[in-house]
Amino acid sequence: MVTLLGRTLNELQIEAQAIGLPKFAGRQLAEWLYQKRATSFDVMTNISLQGRQQLAERYDTGFRAPVAEAVSTDGTKKYLFPVLDGQYVESVYIPDGDRATLCVSTQAGCKMGCRFCMTGRLGFHGDLAASDILNQVFSIPDADKLTNIVYMGEGEPCNNIDEVLRSIEVLTASWGCAWSPHRVTVSSVGYLPGLKRYLDESECHVAISLHNPFHEERALLMPVEKVYPITQVIDLLKKYDWQHQRRVSFEYICFGGQNDTRRHADALLRLLQDLPCRINLIRFHTDPEHPDELLQGSDEKQMEWMRDYLTQRGITTTIRRSRGEDILAACGMLVNSLKS
């Protein structure tokens, strides 16, 4: 069956007309899917009974409930969703006062192979369709509480840019969820072909996984550096307007003695000069089953020093509070552990 979740208004209008429904039925379908989150055609009562029967025969709404859930002591929740052919992905719900953020996956596994990331060890098992991405947003129990979406789960979003942009269109279009684009952030390791399209075709925020300002050192952590150096990523970002509502930030996992020194801080200042941005320092989460003896997290005092050093010299820097580590839901820890 053809899945309707993730289809644009124009595509829904075409599908409606293909089964003999009027063109305006496509807009009705969009409203039922994206605003009312209807999981069955039976409830779409402003569409004729015959039309609903034809829809049910040919199409699937695309909504799938998570098959497993874990709850952290800090209130973070992790969900497991079936996707593709026998594959799974995880997404993470993070409540924080009057904000509620969902971290969604865009690929099953990941092909980027970052040394510090547990997800990368899963290997790559396929791109998610826009329907799979949006289903993570719509099908969690707390969907109505969401205020922000971050594309920071499994996979490299800019390596699946067509489906990521399609899902963002649904979230932000007036016929879809009508969210402000500034409620959406996409993370990237700096995969330049997809990143450029994302910057050109959306108005959402971007977060770049940086982790080291030096080419040789970053390449040891992130193979993408060998193909798309961070200097090229920064050059691209500097071509865009970051003075207004759209925001660029840099994610920076701190490794003790390896990227948290004065030398690294000064290099960051040089690299990011003249680019309005912020840096988020992140605690390293060790893989409990496969610890890397060469990678140890920075201590709190050193992270605080780096935060203050960079902030005092013009780049607003914060230390991100770690959430959900006890259920393997923190940054870089999504390995579909709920499947076992």
Side-chain angles (χ1 to χ4, degrees), residues 18-42:
I19 59 173
L21 291 172
K23 184 177 181 180
F24 66 77
R27 186 171 291 276
Q28 293 173 320
L29 282 170
E31 181 179 355
W32 282 109
L33 290 170
Y34 302 133
Q35 297 171 25
K36 298 180 180 179
R37 317 284 171 89
T39 60
S40 168
F41 296 112
D42 293 336

Side-chain angles (χ1 to χ4, degrees), residues 3-6 61-62 128-136 163 166:
T3 297
L4 292 185
L5 187 64
T61 60
L128 300 194
S131 57
D132 293 318
I133 298 172
L134 290 168
N135 183 57
Q136 297 171 66
E163 299 304 306
R166 178 185 288 268

Side-chain angles (χ1 to χ4, degrees), residues 9-162:
L9 174 60
N10 182 60
E11 290 168 338
L12 290 172
Q13 290 171 333
I14 291 173
E15 297 294 350
Q17 291 177 299
I19 59 173
L21 291 172
K23 184 177 181 180
F24 66 77
R27 186 171 291 276
Q28 293 173 320
L29 282 170
E31 181 179 355
W32 282 109
L33 290 170
Y34 302 133
Q35 297 171 25
K36 298 180 180 179
R37 317 284 171 89
T39 60
S40 168
F41 296 112
D42 293 336
V43 302
M44 301 180 183
T45 51
N46 58 352
I47 297 175
S48 69
L49 177 59
Q50 182 181 2
R52 280 178 274 157
Q53 290 173 339
Q54 288 180 300
L55 285 168
E57 289 172 1
R58 298 193 185 191
Y59 301 101
D60 176 47
T61 60
F63 292 99
R64 300 283 185 277
V67 295
E69 172 186 350
V71 181
S72 168
T73 55
D74 63 25
T76 299
K77 300 177 183 178
K78 185 170 73 168
Y79 296 96
L80 182 72
F81 287 95
V83 295
L84 305 171
D85 296 325
Q87 300 297 325
Y88 294 85
V89 296
E90 291 175 332
S91 56
V92 181
Y93 173 76
I94 310 167
D96 187 14
D98 58 357
R99 289 169 58 94
T101 301
L102 185 70
C103 176
V104 298
S105 295
T106 57
Q107 296 177 314
C110 186
K111 62 176 72 170
M112 296 297 109
C114 297
R115 177 172 179 170
F116 49 81
C117 182
M118 292 169 59
T119 306
R121 298 195 185 103
L122 290 175
F124 176 69
H125 301 287
D127 293 326
L128 300 194
S131 57
D132 293 318
I133 298 172
L134 290 168
N135 183 57
Q136 297 171 66
V137 179
F138 296 154
S139 294
I140 64 168
D142 295 301
D144 292 340
K145 299 177 183 177
L146 291 175
T147 62
N148 298 82
I149 303 293
V150 294
Y151 288 66
M152 295 182 181
E154 295 178 33
E156 163 56 41
C158 291
N159 188 235
N160 185 21
I161 194 61
D162 287 335

Side-chain angles (χ1 to χ4, degrees), residues 297-315:
S298 302
D299 62 37
E300 194 70 19
K301 184 177 180 181
Q302 191 64 19
M303 290 184 70
E304 291 174 354
W305 170 85
M306 196 163 190
R307 176 198 63 196
D308 297 342
Y309 186 86
L310 293 170
T311 299
Q312 290 165 7
R313 286 157 180 79
I315 299 181

Side-chain angles (χ1 to χ4, degrees), residues 200-335:
D200 288 340
E201 299 177 34
S202 87
E203 298 178 4
C204 303
H205 299 316
V206 63
I208 302 296
S209 296
L210 204 168
H211 310 309
N212 201 300
F214 295 109
H215 173 72
E216 295 81 3
E217 295 178 22
R218 188 172 189 261
L220 292 175
L221 293 172
M222 307 172 70
V224 71
E225 174 71 16
K226 301 172 185 177
V227 183
Y228 303 115
I230 192 62
T231 52
Q232 293 183 15
V233 176
I234 302 303
D235 288 343
L236 174 66
L237 292 170
K238 287 183 176 179
K239 296 178 181 179
Y240 296 83
D241 178 14
W242 304 103
Q243 298 286 354
H244 298 92
Q245 287 185 306
R246 197 182 195 188
R247 184 174 66 242
V248 58
S249 59
F250 292 89
E251 310 300 302
Y252 198 90
I253 298 174
C254 290
F255 301 106
Q258 298 193 42
N259 70 348
D260 61 353
T261 69
R262 169 79 175 267
R263 180 173 67 93
H264 292 91
D266 287 338
L268 282 172
L269 293 170
R270 291 192 299 270
L271 179 67
L272 303 179
Q273 64 182 347
D274 302 322
L275 179 63
C277 63
R278 67 184 299 127
I279 297 174
N280 295 315
L281 303 180
I282 302 173
R283 295 172 178 84
F284 175 52
H285 302 112
T286 303
D287 185 338
E289 294 187 5
H290 303 94
D292 188 329
E293 294 181 358
L294 298 180
L295 294 181
Q296 302 295 326
S298 302
D299 62 37
E300 194 70 19
K301 184 177 180 181
Q302 191 64 19
M303 290 184 70
E304 291 174 354
W305 170 85
M306 196 163 190
R307 176 198 63 196
D308 297 342
Y309 186 86
L310 293 170
T311 299
Q312 290 165 7
R313 286 157 180 79
I315 299 181
T316 299
T317 303
T318 61
I319 298 175
R320 178 180 290 174
R321 184 159 61 100
S322 183
R323 299 289 300 271
E325 186 174 1
D326 58 324
I327 57 169
L328 298 183
C331 292
M333 301 188 81
L334 299 185
V335 291

